[in-house]
Amino acid sequence: MWLSPIYASPLVDEGYDISDYTAIHPRYGTMEDFNRLLEEAHSRNIRVMIDLVLNHTSVLHPWFTEARSSTTHARRDWYIWHPGRKGRKPNNWLTNFGRSAWKRDEATGEYYYHSFFPEQPDLNWRNPEVKKAMFNMVKYWLAKGVDGFRLDVANMLFKEEGLTNNPAWALVSDRNVYNRNQPEVYELLRAFRRLLDRYPGRVSIGEIYVPPPGNSRLAASFMGNGQDMLHMAFDFTLIFTRWSACAFYQALSKYYRVLPGGGWPCFVFSNHDLGRAVNHYLFPIDKEKKAKLLATLLLTLRGTPFIYYGDEIGMCNRHIPRSRIRDRYGRLLYPFYTGRDKARTPMQWDNTSHAGFSPASPWLPVHRNYRQCNVASQQVQEGSVFTHYRKLLQLRRELPVLQQGTIRFLYKRQAGYLLYERTTDEKCCWIALNFSPFVRKVTGLPENEAMVVYHSSDNRRMCGRATFPLRLFPYEAVVIGKERTDRK
Ligand code: NOJ
């Protein structure tokens, strides 16, 4: 379970602006509540990861209050300051929303650097005191028993020291940019990993901030040799990939190719910034079938799957009327960009008011489809997205090959489906995904009597002995393998 930031914060960026790294925002309860959550989760064998925002603090963090108070304050250098060049901003670096990343601070007349909102000043990781303070904070959470961290914008922690101007394309490409992906980040991540390795069983996943269409090679580079930096790195290429077996095949095979030896893959199709999987892929038709296909892909690829809350019932982005937009990006950039609230709407538990999320009116409107799309109704509905996820998760538990097996793509051009094989010494199974709205005949499978269908996303297919040639229904996703007695 990964919690996005729950720390004390003025919530300018929904918690990614932290004013106290060792306190819980009252909106999310108290430290006692957090301790209890951890305890209860652990007693159910659920691990808990928290978001770690190392790149910036809130302007309200006492470190920044002190830093901005005078140019000679001991904390001044904890942030990135510059007097400006010839009365102008220090350079042309931009925030992620295209405005200057420098803000002149009235108190001293100097500029400070902020990769995101001005209320989120970037820390100066070149100062060893910053590293010491942040690592102590990390130790605090590790001692408490958290199982790992999702490192916010891990690739942005260092900026080039000379503050060289970026090329004009810095917002859309990573080539020759100076305010992210700097060599010092790798050294820092190595030190972070050494710290983590002192606590058995803890994990790190880095968010690697890159413009569309993603960059799996860059993301993988932050895993070092696979053992000495991040355990996993999010690559968002699949989110930006078009809906086609061929495009997915190309993106996936590149992803596995660039992964360092010993590095462990991870996959994500939706998140709190980029929205929900079912809305990424063109054609708003057949959303439910596509949601099931993606679930099969996510849970049968070699790597750790990340499921964004609500995806397990096929929740969709919701249009948020302008007056109800909370996300500051949405308010700032409307109508060109309506913000990230669309994928942050309340979880749809049942068909009662506010989808059973809360008796009070929630902070964002519930999606209009909540009467059909909710946990309670899908739980009892054979073939729903939810039961599909459940069956796949069960299968993943029962078949270690789906967790540990190697992966090999058996892709044929223009076939319209994706086929891959997962193998361990003892077992082999095959996954076929039909991305097209037409029936597809699958070739390349060992067609013998021992083959059985473990699971299909289409109710029309009976589980049990497979019949050949295998013809996939439109958008069908199927897991097949050899019959086994021990389910191992
Ligand atoms: C990436 C987070 O995912 C996003 O939600 C946040 O706004 C920025 N980092 C800044 O922390």
Side-chain angles (χ1 to χ4, degrees):
M1 177 161 53
W2 151 28
L3 305 178
S4 41
I6 47 161
Y7 311 89
S9 160
L11 303 179
V12 169
D13 186 16
E14 295 310 340
Y16 284 96
D17 47 320
I18 299 170
S19 52
D20 184 347
Y21 284 84
T22 51
I24 306 285
H25 192 289
R27 187 188 267 190
Y28 306 115
T30 61
M31 192 55 88
E32 285 66 48
D33 294 329
F34 180 79
N35 294 340
R36 168 137 184 256
L37 172 75
L38 208 56
E39 218 175 278
E40 300 271 352
H42 286 169
S43 72
R44 290 164 177 79
N45 210 13
I46 297 171
R47 314 274 187 99
V48 179
M49 282 167 40
I50 56 173
D51 228 299
L52 197 57
V53 187
L54 300 175
N55 182 65
H56 45 268
T57 67
S58 155
V59 270
L60 297 190
H61 195 293
W63 297 342
F64 191 71
T65 313
E66 290 172 9
R68 79 193 320 184
S69 66
S70 103
T71 52
T72 53
H73 194 286
R75 288 245 206 256
R76 182 68 168 186
D77 187 48
W78 282 43
Y79 294 84
I80 303 169
W81 295 93
H82 198 280
R85 290 194 169 129
K86 298 193 185 131
R88 312 243 311 261
K89 306 208 160 148
N91 65 15
N92 72 353
W93 294 354
L94 299 175
T95 61
N96 63 333
F97 57 103
R99 302 215 175 142
S100 171
W102 295 97
K103 178 157 168 75
R104 192 169 169 277
D105 198 40
E106 287 309 320
T108 58
E110 287 195 345
Y111 294 91
Y112 66 85
Y113 182 72
H114 56 93
S115 299
F116 298 93
F117 290 125
E119 289 84 352
Q120 295 167 292
D122 281 37
L123 283 157
N124 173 17
W125 276 87
R126 295 180 190 281
N127 183 328
E129 293 294 312
V130 168
K131 180 174 163 196
K132 203 161 133 202
M134 282 304 205
F135 277 30
N136 280 338
M137 175 271 286
V138 168
K139 286 185 209 155
Y140 167 87
W141 291 103
L142 287 169
K144 201 176 254 306
V146 304
D147 301 285
F149 303 97
R150 175 262 188 195
L151 276 69
D152 192 55
V153 292
N155 59 326
M156 293 176 72
L157 301 178
F158 279 86
K159 292 88 192 159
E160 194 243 0
E161 214 169 359
L163 306 185
T164 308
N165 276 331
N166 266 340
W169 56 76
L171 279 185
V172 292
S173 158
D174 276 305
R175 205 155 46 87
N176 301 335
V177 293
Y178 292 95
N179 57 347
R180 52 183 191 264
N181 312 327
Q182 296 302 299
E184 294 89 338
V185 176
Y186 294 93
E187 213 29 68
L188 178 67
L189 292 178
R190 258 188 218 109
F192 184 79
R193 176 63 176 263
R194 283 196 296 273
L195 167 64
L196 221 55
D197 283 348
R198 302 209 316 248
Y199 299 76
R202 314 301 169 99
V203 72
S204 56
I205 292 118
E207 178 206 26
I208 308 304
Y209 183 93
V210 295
N215 187 339
S216 47
R217 191 180 297 279
L218 181 73
S221 72
F222 294 99
M223 296 166 71
N225 65 14
Q227 303 291 325
D228 64 346
M229 291 190 207
L230 294 168
H231 289 89
M232 290 177 267
F234 282 128
D235 163 44
F236 301 114
T237 306
L238 288 181
I239 292 185
F240 303 120
T241 298
R242 88 195 136 81
W243 183 263
S244 101
C246 174
F248 270 69
Y249 162 71
Q250 281 167 351
L252 284 164
S253 38
K254 173 162 180 214
Y255 177 86
Y256 285 111
R257 211 171 40 243
V258 297
L259 212 64
W264 186 247
C266 69
F267 293 98
V268 59
F269 290 140
S270 306
N271 77 13
H272 63 291
D273 291 328
L274 299 170
R276 295 206 174 265
V278 286
N279 294 87
H280 299 321
Y281 306 104
L282 285 179
F283 314 125
I285 48 157
D286 296 321
K287 278 200 181 119
E288 199 179 301
K289 290 183 181 149
K290 289 177 178 171
K292 289 205 233 165
L293 183 148
L294 287 174
T296 313
L297 181 64
L298 186 65
L299 294 169
T300 59
L301 283 171
R302 175 179 164 81
T304 297
F306 281 78
I307 305 170
Y308 186 53
Y309 85 93
D311 270 17
E312 70 274 42
I313 53 169
M315 271 173 68
C316 307
N317 289 344
R318 188 214 197 276
H319 166 74
I320 309 287
R322 186 176 187 177
S323 59
R324 293 206 62 182
I325 293 179
R326 300 259 179 179
D327 181 23
R328 185 138 158 225
Y329 289 113
R331 294 205 305 268
L332 216 70
L333 304 174
Y334 189 91
F336 306 104
Y337 177 60
T338 53
R340 301 169 295 179
D341 296 335
K342 56 183 183 286
R344 298 177 174 187
T345 57
M347 179 67 190
Q348 295 163 205
W349 293 108
D350 58 34
N351 62 9
T352 63
S353 67
H354 310 308
F357 180 79
S358 145
S361 184
W363 70 306
L364 281 171
V366 172
H367 198 288
R368 288 193 187 84
N369 69 7
Y370 78 93
R371 284 186 205 284
Q372 306 79 44
C373 178
N374 64 67
V375 177
S377 61
Q378 289 198 16
Q379 241 167 359
V380 291
Q381 192 188 323
E382 195 50 39
S384 67
V385 177
F386 188 73
T387 49
H388 180 65
Y389 263 95
R390 274 194 145 168
K391 285 187 182 155
L392 284 166
L393 286 166
Q394 194 183 339
L395 198 62
R396 216 181 135 84
R397 265 195 297 272
E398 288 172 359
L399 294 176
V401 66
L402 288 180
Q403 296 171 35
Q404 292 135 25
T406 56
I407 188 162
R408 186 165 73 100
F409 288 93
L410 306 164
Y411 178 70
K412 293 206 173 55
R413 274 177 75 81
Q414 319 270 311
Y417 65 86
L418 189 63
L419 176 66
Y420 49 95
E421 180 182 80
R422 301 288 317 272
T423 321
T424 56
D425 287 345
E426 295 89 46
K427 180 124 206 92
C428 194
C429 73
W430 291 266
I431 296 94
L433 308 167
N434 183 0
F435 278 70
S436 83
F438 310 106
V439 171
R440 297 285 187 186
K441 187 169 116 190
V442 179
T443 54
L445 284 169
E447 302 186 357
N448 61 49
E449 283 180 359
M451 294 288 271
V452 288
V453 174
Y454 295 147
H455 182 60
S456 163
S457 63
D458 195 306
N459 274 354
R460 287 169 290 181
R461 184 170 309 276
M462 305 299 276
C463 288
R465 188 141 340 270
T467 48
F468 295 104
L470 182 72
R471 284 180 213 281
L472 296 172
F473 293 113
Y475 302 115
E476 187 186 11
V478 49
V479 186
I480 62 179
K482 299 231 174 77
E483 198 161 25
R484 64 241 139 104
T485 44
D486 58 338
R487 280 227 138 191
K488 284 271 174 297

